[in-house]
Amino acid sequence: MKPAPFDYVAARSLDEALAALADAGEGGKVLAGGQSLVPLLALRLARPDVLVDVNQIAGLDRLVVDDHRLVIGALVRHRAVELDERVRRAFPLVSAAAAQIGHVAIRNRGTVGGSVAHADPAAEWPTLLLALDGEVEVASPRGRRVIGAGDLYAGYLTTTLEADEVVCEVRGTLPEGRIGTSFLELARREGDFAIVGVAAVLAREGDVVRHCRLALSGVGSTPVRARGAEELLAGGPADDAAIAAAARTVADEMDPPGDIHGSADYRRKVAEVLVRRALCAARDEIGTVVAQ
Amino acid sequence: MTEQGNGNARAARGVPIESVRPHQFVGQRLRRKEDARLVSGKGRYLADLVVPGMRHAAVLRSPVPHGRIAEFDASEALALPGVDAVFTGRDLIGKVGPFVEGGRLEISPMLMEKVHPEVKPHAMPVLAADDVHFVGQPVAVVVAASRYLAEDALDLVRVDYEELPVVTDPEAALAPGAPVLHGHLGDNVAAHFVIASGDVDAELGSAPHVYRGRFEVGRQASNAMEPRGVLATSDRGTGDLTVWCTNARPHLVRTFLSEMLRMPLDRIRVISPDMGGSFGTGVFSEDFLIPFVARQLGRPVRWVEDRSENLLVTRHGRDQVHLVEVGYDDDGRILALKDRFLVDAGAYNQYAITVSYNAAAHARNQFDIPAVRLEGLNVLTNKAPVAPVRGAGRPEVTFMMDRIVDIVAHETGIDPVDCRRRNLVRPEQMPYHADIPYRDGVDIVYDRADFPAQLAQLCDLVDYGAFRKEQAEARRRGRRLGIGFSSYMEGSGFGPHEGAVVRVDTNGHVTVYTGANAHGQGLATTLAQVCADQLGVTPEDVTVRMGDTSYIPYGVGTFASRSAVTAGTATGVAAGLVREKALAIAAEVLEVSSSDLELEEGTVKVRGTPSRQISLGEVARAAAPGPRSRLPAGMDPVLEAEHYYVPPTVTWSSGTHAAVVEVDEETGFVRVLRYLTVDDCGQMLNPTIVEGQVHGGVALGLGEALTEEVIYDAAGQPLTGTYMDYLLPTTTETPPITVAHQVFPSEVNPFGIKGCGEGGAVGPPAAVANAIVDALRPLDVRISRVPIHPERLLELIEEAKAEAAQDGRPSARS
Ligand SMILES: Cc1cc2nc3c(=O)[nH]c(=O)nc-3n(C[C@H](O)[C@H](O)[C@H](O)COP(=O)(O)OP(=O)(O)OC[C@H]3O[C@@H](n4cnc5c(N)ncnc54)[C@H](O)[C@@H]3O)c2cc1C
């Protein structure tokens, strides 16, 4: 379990990192927290020529929390998000999700940018990014660009990032008004990648669902937004029957993978259960989150 | 409930000491001597050992489950700078013997005579030269300047395989036309035996009810915290070999090395440094490969197993299928048990019938079943070889038997605890003659114990009545809680022997040398406690040394819950002999009769005349050879004694476990909320250490019950190659564990000791399964396999619901 040979560049600035990546061409890889990349190196499943360590780059670790907007620098560690009081108040689903990433030691090292870029369909951050209608800002020698969450994920562990692009910032929003959120996941052990994870956001006006977002992990080669169910709920009541119908729609519309932790069929079944529970939890939370 | 140890009153049963001194330090919760060193990171594990000039090895393993090696080509690897050598299986032919049939050595002659097991020999090569039989089988080794380079070179060794048909399921392996792994065996049966007591067929024929079922226990890996490793040096001048290896049986490794490398035993020294766990007996390819390579190259070579290799090949266990017929009556009394079971031995059955016979010998559990018939088969498949892993057959049969008890309870409408009680061997039946031989060939007689009292104590501990109320209350709120029980027997302290040398140096410090070899069991503490009591010193005065063949000529090692019993007894006896010798020498020095002397806290005193005393160091100086010796005539010099304890048979520990679980009916997820145990391991040497053993064992057992499984696909490829897929329970999954004891000192050895190393791992599969079934009542969910995967449980729940709906009543079965 020793990595194949590679060169190592400890970039001191974003420009240095971008230059090193440009030099390396397809053979370069960003090293952030190393919690996904290093195991892949050790198993020789990843064999980059050059590792560009971005940990020393200043300015990639800001964490801005407004009432409805969240801005997270790529180098912010999972643990910092998990423990942030502002996040807990304004984005409780984000705190809940961050707390379910691996174990404390992993959360102390792993970064939000790394997780978003790694694109594990069972991971928390990519799913959150969808639920927050988020976007990432990336830098390359050609300048900066912003990629919407819906355009970022191309397949299993695959993004639309170019080899020389570095994620700088991750941003997301929650709708205004009376909202409720929840994040639930089913994992064989605490800290495992989810068999199925669900992020739910409900905004309500009177008794009617004004807006709904549902994102799921573990049910496809990328994290998915359950648009069909969202539409089903929007404009109607958030009663048990409506929620159950939405959950059923999610299950019907998905095409999950199967593995030893759960077959496609099982994932479909438990996704329905989790969606139902997540929506109920979000509904029940409405009113407890004070938003101006 | 406790029965006093009363060691002083008991005769020194079958051992050459005049009396057994009362326990003073034995039984106390002394802090472990080894902890300060180990916990502060000052242990010396294999990967900490560095020898000047040392090179690093990496092992190439077969990626195919069954195949014929057409060609090896190492030329590219050899051309890589820093690579010293590559040896393939073909380079070893004629130079390293294959594994001796290790397992055959382990069958006791008495058992051979009584049971006539059929065991078919098939040797495993150290490196495969022609055929490979499982993914992970070693085929070549690279030696290089660093492990990194060695692994780079592995990528470059080319091995061409002609793939052969694969069989991964033991039942399929028995079917006509199945691919045969080892042609000369004729089929895939590697071992077979039958044992019986009473007339099972007659009992089954007349029993009011017969249950027929099938129970399966999945394959579990042992996952010692420290993977294995070997470091070997060959003296440039003499060729003498020194081997450090992460192996609980250094003497056995030495014996094998001597045979396989054709060297005198005395020129080989095998040392086990600090070890981060083991989980059982066994020798492995690298134990011989690395010494061979070091000799060939004339330089030290170290190999450290990585976690991938460990998960792939190191000490898989369990993997059994039991097909049972059980006769019982309306009172829930089990009248007969017929069990035909298959142990999926993997590609090489290296331990003969160790696991399968263990399973058979423990199947009857704590229950008084009039007739049993047990037929065991070890079946070969294209998977990694199975080894005896902590529990070694006991968790499997205990799962089977305790599920049966619960099924019978359900079928007869009797409360599960009550049904269990009705079947227990009663105190007045003790000593209970099981009418079948144990693995050592001696007929099984259960040691003193009180099983109903054990169960009653556990019921009190868990507050069974209160739990039933809590359960009903929870159910009203939509939560499904359940409780499940398991009881087990643990034949422990297996022979054939273990020895101890106890020596007092001229400063009065005592050293115990033994062939047992702790790797987490705290023997440095417990043996010091035993020694201190029998010699008349304090545990601080005693250093325990083990894990080195140069310490003592014979040693067996630490596995099979044996070391407290065997090394403990050997140490106690040797210490007693030293005490007797010290008293005799002191009598000479002080010119009194030795019967007027007493030895306490390291000082020999004349009884009633405290001023006349002599320290143990002075006695040791008087025992040294030379002109100042004050030895009584005819006595050998040196204040020391050696004793090899040869147990007449095993001791019988036992225990009863309870699990309280919550089941999520919609997802099949299970959470263990509480776990409670009452065990009887006789006179505890150190209750804290016993409880540590129970805790660790329970964690292993919970993994086995719920999450841990080595899974192969039908093509023979392992799917659980990392800890993302092989799910060890962690602290977050392990519930609070409550441990209580019954103390019935063993009758088998003079100190009353019974083993306790495995019991913790034996109960959880059954206790958890029964708890899940209980949580889901009135649905009749039929769990017959562990680990219980949430997906499978959800299926079972759905099946049970469908059945209940069809019957129109929640739990209708006749
Ligand atoms: C035992 C264990 C359990 C875990 N459990 C979970 C879990 O339950 N849920 C979960 O989500 N994760 C889990 N993880 C993964 C962990 O969250 C990682 O931290 C995360 O997935 C990757 O972040 P990182 O900073 O460690 O990235 P790295 O490992 O350094 O990099 C991961 C990938 O992202 C790329 N990358 C990193 N940063 C950037 C950037 N700024 N721009 C462009 N590309 C970049 C790298 O090149 C690499 O391809 C677990 C890890 C371990 C070891």
Side-chain angles (χ1 to χ4, degrees), chain A residues 29-37 74 78 100-102 106 110-111 114-115 117-118 123-124 165-167 191-193:
Chain A
K29 263 239 167 263
V30 174
L31 174 69
Q35 299 303 296
S36 295
L37 184 51
H78 308 314
Q100 296 184 56
I101 300 174
I106 290 148
T111 66
S115 188
H118 189 58
E124 284 78 1
E165 281 182 320
V166 173
V167 174
D192 281 338
F193 282 95

Side-chain angles (χ1 to χ4, degrees), chain B residues 604-678:
Chain B
V604 184
K605 296 176 189 148
V606 179
R607 241 187 286 270
T609 320
S611 57
R612 296 197 64 200
Q613 60 176 51
I614 168 175
S615 74
L616 204 53
E618 287 172 274
V619 177
R621 287 198 285 279
R628 301 224 177 107
S629 163
R630 300 287 300 277
L631 289 166
M635 188 178 274
D636 285 335
V638 187
L639 186 50
E640 69 171 8
E642 177 181 64
H643 179 71
Y644 286 91
Y645 174 60
V646 180
T649 183
V650 288
T651 62
W652 283 95
S653 318
S654 60
T656 307
H657 289 189
V660 175
V661 306
E662 175 162 8
V663 181
D664 182 337
E665 219 181 322
E666 289 187 310
T667 62
F669 268 60
V670 174
R671 188 155 186 94
V672 183
L673 304 176
R674 288 200 286 155
Y675 202 90
L676 305 96
T677 72
V678 175

Side-chain angles (χ1 to χ4, degrees), chain A residues 192-210:
Chain A
D192 281 338
F193 282 95
I195 294 178
V196 173
V198 179
V201 178
L202 274 185
R204 220 163 78 165
E205 229 167 59
D207 285 339
V208 173
V209 175
R210 178 167 54 80

Side-chain angles (χ1 to χ4, degrees), chain A residues 1-3 5 43-44 47 186-190 192-193 260-263 266 269-270 273 276-277, chain B residues 147-148 151-152 155 306 308 664 666-667 669 706-707 723-725 727-728 732-733 789-791 798:
Chain A
M1 276 181 130
K2 303 287 186 209
L43 293 165
R44 294 189 179 223
R47 296 177 180 233
L186 201 62
R188 295 285 303 275
R189 296 170 306 178
E190 211 171 301
D192 281 338
F193 282 95
I260 56 171
H261 304 301
S263 68
Y266 179 71
K269 281 183 201 158
V270 295
V273 174
R276 197 186 74 227
R277 290 178 184 176
Chain B
R147 175 68 183 239
Y148 288 87
E151 290 193 22
D152 292 346
D155 284 351
D306 67 32
S308 304
D664 182 337
E666 289 187 310
T667 62
F669 268 60
L706 292 169
T707 55
Y723 281 159
M724 290 228 313
D725 292 320
L727 308 180
L728 284 174
T732 48
E733 284 73 46
H789 193 292
E791 176 165 1
E798 286 169 355

Side-chain angles (χ1 to χ4, degrees), chain B residues 533-572:
Chain B
D533 282 351
Q534 297 309 315
L535 182 46
V537 296
T538 67
E540 291 83 74
D541 298 327
V542 183
T543 302
V544 176
R545 296 196 186 281
M546 53 201 151
D548 188 332
T549 56
S550 71
Y551 290 158
I552 182 163
Y554 293 92
V556 179
T558 292
F559 54 95
S561 306
R562 67 186 304 280
S563 293
V565 179
T566 58
T569 303
T571 299

